[in-house]
């Protein structure tokens, strides 16, 4: 019996390690230079990684302008309008996978900020199994406007009602216990 519990405990630790690794990669994607697909948003850099049930990466994206939209126009960064021009990382990762003909049903999405209402709706429609976010993601983006905080709250409800797990992951590496 003890061996089984140790195996279960080991698998759980491995899963949390895997969650941290994917979330680290999502953060790295968002932090890339804009010319390499990184986020152009000055303060809210969101990255997303879509992983299939076998643990293989299906797609990676950051929030950014649509491919052919001119991101250099300064008026698109004015307060209140930049969110109208920038696509969500979750949407872009899902679209990449779908365009490539990959099966996304049952996949897991790792994203550096909880999904907004629109992204949560897409996630529900595509029947993903789980969305993993850093436990402190909302605190990291404390300056989000009220409309986005409300949208994220609606997104949480959509995920819950669609029976999609929202897992908050402590992205800090665990400290080794002294024996």
């Amino acid at each position: 019996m003890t061996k089984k519990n140790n195996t279960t405990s080991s698998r759980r630790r491995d899963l949390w390690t895997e969650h941290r690794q994917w979330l680290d990669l999502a953060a790295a994607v968002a932090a890339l230079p804009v010319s390499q697909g990184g986020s152009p948003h000055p303060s809210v850099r969101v990255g997303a990684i879509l992983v299939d049930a076998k643990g293989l990466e299906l797609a990676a994206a950051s929030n950014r302008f649509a491919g052919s939209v001119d991101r250099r126009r300064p008026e698109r960064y004015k307060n209140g309008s930049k969110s109208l021009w920038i696509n969500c990382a979750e949407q872009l990762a899902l679209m990449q996978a779908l365009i490539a003909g990959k099966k996304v049903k049952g996949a897991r999405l790792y994203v550096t900020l909880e999904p907004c209402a629109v992204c949560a709706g897409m996630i529900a429609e595509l029947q993903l199994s789980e969305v993993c976010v850093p436990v402190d993601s909302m605190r990291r983006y404390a300056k989000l406007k009220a409309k986005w905080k409300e949208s994220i709250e609606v997104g949480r409800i959509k995920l819950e009602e669609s029976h999609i797990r929202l897992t908050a992951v402590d992205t800090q590496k665990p400290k080794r216990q002294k024996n």
Side-chain angles (χ1 to χ4, degrees):
M1 192 67 104
T2 305
K3 188 172 185 174
K4 184 177 182 182
N5 287 341
N6 287 340
T7 303
T8 302
S9 178
S10 177
R11 278 191 207 136
R12 202 172 298 133
R13 273 195 308 273
D14 291 346
L15 183 59
W16 288 110
T17 299
E18 184 179 333
H19 287 339
R20 280 191 292 279
Q21 290 170 341
W22 286 118
L23 283 169
D24 286 348
L25 183 57
V29 168
L32 287 170
V34 174
S35 62
Q36 295 176 18
S39 173
H41 197 286
S43 60
V44 182
R45 295 175 184 263
V46 181
I49 306 290
L50 186 63
V51 178
D52 71 10
K54 295 178 182 174
L56 300 174
E57 181 179 321
L58 298 175
S62 68
N63 56 341
R64 63 169 174 75
F65 286 91
S68 59
V69 174
D70 187 355
R71 64 178 164 79
R72 296 168 295 183
R73 296 182 65 167
E75 68 272 16
R76 296 187 176 161
Y77 290 91
K78 285 186 180 171
N79 200 13
S81 67
K82 63 184 160 257
S83 63
L84 299 173
W85 292 97
I86 295 176
N87 293 337
C88 294
E90 301 93 320
Q91 295 171 11
L92 294 166
L94 291 166
M95 290 303 298
Q96 272 182 30
L98 292 170
I99 288 169
K102 297 179 180 175
K103 306 252 186 255
V104 299
K105 183 177 179 178
R108 181 180 290 137
L109 183 67
Y110 292 90
V111 62
T112 59
L113 180 64
E114 291 180 47
C116 69
V118 173
C119 291
M122 287 180 67
I123 291 164
E125 290 292 334
L126 293 169
Q127 301 175 345
L128 272 60
S129 65
E130 183 176 17
V131 176
C132 297
V133 297
V135 73
D136 63 348
S137 65
M138 287 297 284
R139 190 171 60 240
R140 277 194 227 165
Y141 298 112
K143 293 182 180 181
L144 280 175
K145 292 181 181 175
K147 69 179 181 179
W148 289 112
K149 289 179 181 179
E150 182 179 356
S151 181
I152 287 170
E153 185 56 38
V154 170
R156 284 182 192 149
I157 295 166
K158 284 183 174 183
L159 294 175
E160 181 181 332
E161 290 182 6
S162 300
H163 306 288
I164 296 168
R165 285 187 313 275
L166 179 62
T167 302
V169 178
D170 183 354
T171 55
Q172 301 300 313
K173 291 190 170 55
K175 294 176 184 169
R176 293 195 172 181
Q177 295 178 352
K178 293 180 183 176
N179 292 335

